[in-house]
Amino acid sequence: MLWETVRLALLAITRNALRSFLTVLGVVIGVAAVIAMVTIGQGSSEQVTSDVESLGSDVLMLRPGSSFGGPGVSETVAEFTLRDADALRELSVLSAVAPVVNSPATAVYGNANSSTTVTGSSNDYLDVANWTILRGRGFSPAEESSGAAVCILGESVRQELFGNADPTGETIRIKTVSCDVIGYLEAKGAGMMGQDQDDLILMPIRAVQRRLVGSTDVSSFQLALAPGVSADRGTREIEALMRERRRIQIDEADDFRVMDMAQIASMLTSVNSVLTGLLSAVAAVSLLVGGIGIMNIMLVSVTERTREIGIRLAIGATARQVLTQFLVEAIVLSVLGGVIGILLGFAIAFAAARLMAIPFTPSIEIVGLAFVFSGLVGVVFGYFPARRAARLDPIEALRHQ
Amino acid sequence: MGEETTGPLIALRDVSRVYGEGEAEVRALDGVDLTIGEGEFIAIMGPSGSGKSTAMNIIGCLDRPTGGSYLFHDVEVGRLDRDQRAILRREYLGFVFQGFNLLPRSTALENVELPLIYKGVPPAERAARARSALEKVGLAGREHHQPSQLSGGQQQRVAIARAIVDNPMVLLADEPTGNLDTHRSREIMELLVALNRDDGITIIMVTHEEDMAEYAHRIVLFVDGRVQSEDYRPAEREG
């Protein structure tokens, strides 16, 4: 009997295929938006998590300023210097200290050029940031201390300047500096925010400071914790050292910030989930509007089919049977919309995942949820028109033209 | 026709049906007494506004009297609720209308199956019974035609097949030949006569055509919401 009713409902829906499609469009869009948002959100949090894991949970970051975004507009905060690096190296809780200074620059080789970022650091940076030298070598101690013009290329820069050729031993020009290529890095792919991580050139920090930036500032430190040291303990010791070095009074707040990777990850994912939540709310509203659309068209349908309802009642259909028929029709309609929406949503999420280079993570829970929700929309918004149909007076209904 | 040992099949006693209230009150039926026995063939006639359609709706359990008593098979219909009357219609009554009232985009077979769907008859049995009903009204081979592909007479035959598919006790026909020409009308009437004679189905028919009323055993004339006369016909057309 139920299958019979579903079959009848499908028949009624396909008779007015175009109208049925337009009717469920609201539900389709709502469900597709929810599915796409949630799937993309999940994918990007997964990406962030795995990126952070690849950085290592034993990595800390030290930046000037009091907030994540670095010094604010009105803040004037003393920059770090390489003397801070030497002091940090004294701490037993740290196994590696990589001072970092970045400078945007264009690198030129022959006719090829590449707009990139030059990162000045030490060999420790390779360990802390998880880089592997694919070919060539790291900086020698002499190169580091003298600030020699030598560089290690990221994969994207290598591709742009040399194609697939081996760049080691060649000389490239960065701004006005001629620089010997001593190696290149293994590719990492896209980062947490979708940026190209391989778009960089590594140079000894002294070389960048003196030849490209023209200052002795260090913009941040990347620090690796010694084995068995907790992030909390490491953070405490670094904070104590820095407060002392920067002569911060006991009642003054820090003018620097130590972050561990868990904090960075949760910051990134929280932005992510706020965005997902907001868009899902919009999608929910669209689902509501879709439901009202279904109610509207079902009311029209009941009016149009008044005579049919009269016939059915006259030949012995009970009010409940008529109610069931129209309710099932509304549910089938909105579930159909839900199914189309689920497919469309996954298609959008899949395309977006490819585009943003994040994992495509369809979840069965969200499919179930969308299915149940679209069915619920059918029940809620289909009930009123169905009840109206069931309450028709058979005599009046038969007279209806 | 033999006498029933229980009460008559249909007994209306002082039945009234009033629409509206006060000034706007309309007495469509005003003290109708009518008894119909099993196996009878009744024609109800009367000018428009005489209450014959209202009487038909009440006998067909689509409507309830506002006064008096209507016993169907000793059951007081006035006391039944909507769904109980729907079930009574489903189990004992069949309807044929002037305008055929078939579902337009369903096939003849689907139309005839409809009452069985609401009764919960399984599909295979449903189709078989609908087929044999269509055969009975002379429409074998037209099972998969839609109403728009059938002539008026054929559509009315489908409607009759739908009415008799569940072997009703009573067939109610409201101007069944009203939309048909004389030739088709006679064919329909002969079909009704055969159903009455061979299957013992009680037939109650509203008509304004004398020629059609001639087929009945009894002609009941309604005027101003009352039964004015009952004219028993000789059984000349039987046999």
Side-chain angles (χ1 to χ4, degrees):
Chain A
M1 186 66 201
L2 185 68
W3 165 238
E4 192 70 37
T5 318
V6 171
R7 199 184 63 90
L8 276 176
L10 280 170
L11 219 66
I13 288 163
T14 47
R15 255 171 216 160
N16 265 315
L18 180 62
R19 186 167 89 180
S20 302
F21 175 71
L22 293 175
T23 303
V24 299
L25 210 51
V27 174
V28 170
I29 292 170
V31 169
V34 171
I35 295 271
M37 274 1 288
V38 171
T39 308
I40 293 169
Q42 273 173 351
S44 62
S45 342
E46 214 160 276
Q47 178 70 30
V48 168
T49 311
S50 79
D51 281 347
V52 167
E53 269 165 12
S54 81
L55 281 176
S57 52
D58 55 352
V59 170
L60 298 180
M61 200 171 178
L62 172 60
R63 303 182 65 123
S66 52
S67 63
F68 174 65
V73 184
S74 60
E75 272 179 304
T76 49
V77 173
E79 297 287 340
F80 297 116
T81 65
L82 285 176
R83 276 192 292 280
D84 292 311
D86 293 336
L88 286 164
R89 282 193 187 100
E90 300 291 310
L91 289 177
S92 61
V93 292
L94 298 178
S95 64
V97 174
V100 175
V101 60
N102 288 314
S103 171
T106 303
V108 179
Y109 175 77
N111 291 328
N113 65 80
S114 167
S115 282
T116 182
T117 304
V118 178
T119 297
S121 194
S122 61
N123 273 337
D124 277 350
Y125 184 78
L126 298 171
D127 294 333
V128 179
N130 242 348
W131 287 107
T132 308
I133 294 174
L134 207 59
R135 198 184 164 88
R137 57 172 179 90
F139 307 125
S140 71
E143 284 163 348
E144 286 197 352
S145 61
S146 69
V150 291
C151 57
I152 302 168
L153 304 185
E155 177 62 17
S156 297
V157 177
R158 179 177 86 99
Q159 288 290 340
E160 281 183 46
L161 297 186
F162 297 94
N164 283 321
D166 181 2
T168 53
E170 302 292 333
T171 301
I172 63 170
R173 193 160 52 75
I174 302 169
K175 286 188 179 167
T176 56
V177 183
S178 286
C179 190
D180 295 333
V181 178
I182 58 170
Y184 63 93
L185 302 168
E186 189 179 32
K188 265 191 182 178
M192 307 177 210
M193 310 299 278
Q195 82 279 21
D196 180 5
Q197 298 185 97
D198 300 314
D199 185 16
L200 89 166
I201 296 174
L202 283 182
M203 284 178 81
I205 186 162
R206 285 204 163 83
V208 176
Q209 284 177 330
R210 202 169 59 230
R211 297 168 194 256
L212 294 177
V213 185
S215 84
T216 56
D217 295 345
V218 170
S219 52
S220 67
F221 288 98
Q222 299 223 359
L223 310 164
L225 290 164
V229 177
S230 72
D232 274 353
R233 189 174 143 219
T235 303
R236 271 200 312 278
E237 298 216 4
I238 294 162
E239 278 173 352
L241 176 73
M242 282 298 137
R243 283 182 74 90
E244 190 196 318
R245 286 187 60 80
R246 293 163 83 87
R247 299 195 174 77
I248 295 166
Q249 300 300 309
I250 200 101
D251 55 346
E252 281 177 341
D254 294 350
D255 65 353
F256 60 90
R257 198 179 144 105
V258 183
M259 280 177 295
D260 61 43
M261 282 305 152
Q263 279 175 295
I264 295 171
S266 76
M267 220 171 273
L268 292 174
T269 46
S270 76
V271 171
N272 213 324
S273 62
V274 166
L275 211 67
T276 305
L278 254 165
L279 288 165
S280 297
V282 173
V285 171
S286 152
L287 213 56
L288 181 78
V289 173
I292 293 169
I294 286 185
M295 177 154 76
N296 180 36
I297 218 69
M298 288 306 295
L299 281 171
V300 170
S301 172
V302 167
T303 309
E304 276 181 355
R305 288 154 70 187
T306 297
R307 199 179 168 83
E308 174 196 321
I309 295 162
I311 296 168
R312 291 176 185 276
L313 288 168
I315 64 169
T318 59
R320 176 183 279 276
Q321 286 170 325
V322 172
L323 182 97
T324 307
Q325 185 193 338
F326 278 85
L327 201 55
V328 165
E329 204 170 308
I331 294 168
V332 167
L333 204 57
S334 68
V335 166
L336 221 59
V339 169
I340 299 173
I342 288 166
L343 297 177
L344 189 65
F346 278 141
I348 293 169
F350 182 74
R354 293 293 292 275
L355 219 65
M356 294 161 67
I358 58 171
F360 173 61
T361 53
S363 85
I364 192 76
E365 288 92 345
I366 190 70
V367 170
L369 205 68
F371 210 72
V372 168
F373 251 91
S374 54
L376 217 60
V377 164
V379 173
V380 170
F381 293 97
Y383 182 74
F384 176 63
R387 200 186 56 167
R388 176 178 277 197
R391 286 189 175 178
L392 283 175
D393 176 30
I395 301 169
E396 292 292 324
L398 278 172
R399 238 176 253 152
H400 189 91
Q401 288 309 312
Chain B
M1 289 293 136
E3 291 293 319
E4 295 294 318
T5 49
T6 57
L9 179 61
I10 286 167
L12 286 80
R13 295 282 167 267
D14 195 25
V15 164
S16 60
R17 178 67 172 95
V18 181
Y19 297 102
E21 275 176 41
E23 295 276 308
E25 185 181 286
V26 176
R27 300 186 79 80
L29 292 182
D30 189 12
V32 170
D33 288 297
L34 185 62
T35 306
I36 300 167
E38 227 175 315
E40 276 200 82
F41 188 159
I42 305 282
I44 296 176
M45 300 195 71
S48 23
S50 61
K52 58 184 193 299
S53 286
T54 307
M56 198 65 167
N57 288 338
I58 286 175
I59 294 170
C61 304
L62 290 165
D63 198 3
R64 282 190 294 189
T66 46
S69 151
Y70 168 31
L71 294 175
F72 180 89
H73 230 270
D74 295 330
V75 174
E76 180 56 62
V77 175
R79 277 204 282 273
L80 300 180
D81 66 20
R82 261 180 77 104
D83 279 352
Q84 287 172 321
R85 281 182 283 131
I87 290 164
L88 198 147
R89 289 197 294 273
R90 192 171 81 191
E91 298 296 328
Y92 301 110
L93 307 179
F95 288 87
V96 176
F97 306 93
Q98 177 178 1
F100 318 136
N101 278 342
L102 300 174
L103 298 186
R105 278 183 263 198
S106 303
T107 64
L109 195 68
E110 286 166 346
N111 266 290
V112 177
E113 280 185 44
L114 206 55
L116 301 178
I117 290 178
Y118 289 122
K119 243 191 125 176
V121 176
E125 185 190 339
R126 220 161 59 204
R129 284 171 64 181
R131 258 174 232 285
S132 78
L134 281 168
E135 205 172 310
K136 196 175 227 166
V137 300
L139 284 180
R142 310 265 171 174
E143 288 87 351
H144 300 292
H145 288 57
Q146 292 194 352
S148 58
Q149 298 166 308
L150 297 171
S151 72
Q154 288 171 328
Q155 288 187 50
Q156 195 61 299
R157 284 164 189 271
V158 174
I160 291 171
R162 182 180 65 188
I164 62 164
V165 70
D166 197 28
N167 307 315
M169 298 183 76
V170 182
L171 182 71
L172 294 129
D174 193 355
E175 305 254 14
T177 58
N179 286 3
L180 302 175
D181 62 34
T182 317
H183 181 62
R184 306 279 166 224
S185 294
R186 296 218 170 273
E187 284 178 1
I188 293 294
M189 290 315 300
E190 271 148 29
L191 182 57
L192 292 181
V193 166
L195 289 170
N196 175 251
R197 185 188 56 218
D198 302 339
D199 299 324
I201 299 174
T202 306
I203 295 183
I204 303 167
M205 173 181 76
V206 167
T207 184
H208 59 267
E209 293 167 279
E210 293 274 357
D211 291 355
M212 302 305 139
E214 295 289 326
Y215 286 87
H217 303 148
R218 174 161 48 130
I219 298 175
V220 179
L221 181 65
F222 272 70
V223 175
D224 292 336
R226 289 166 182 276
V227 176
Q228 196 184 57
S229 68
E230 295 190 53
D231 177 15
Y232 284 84
R233 314 291 305 166
E236 63 194 49
R237 289 187 189 273
E238 291 184 26

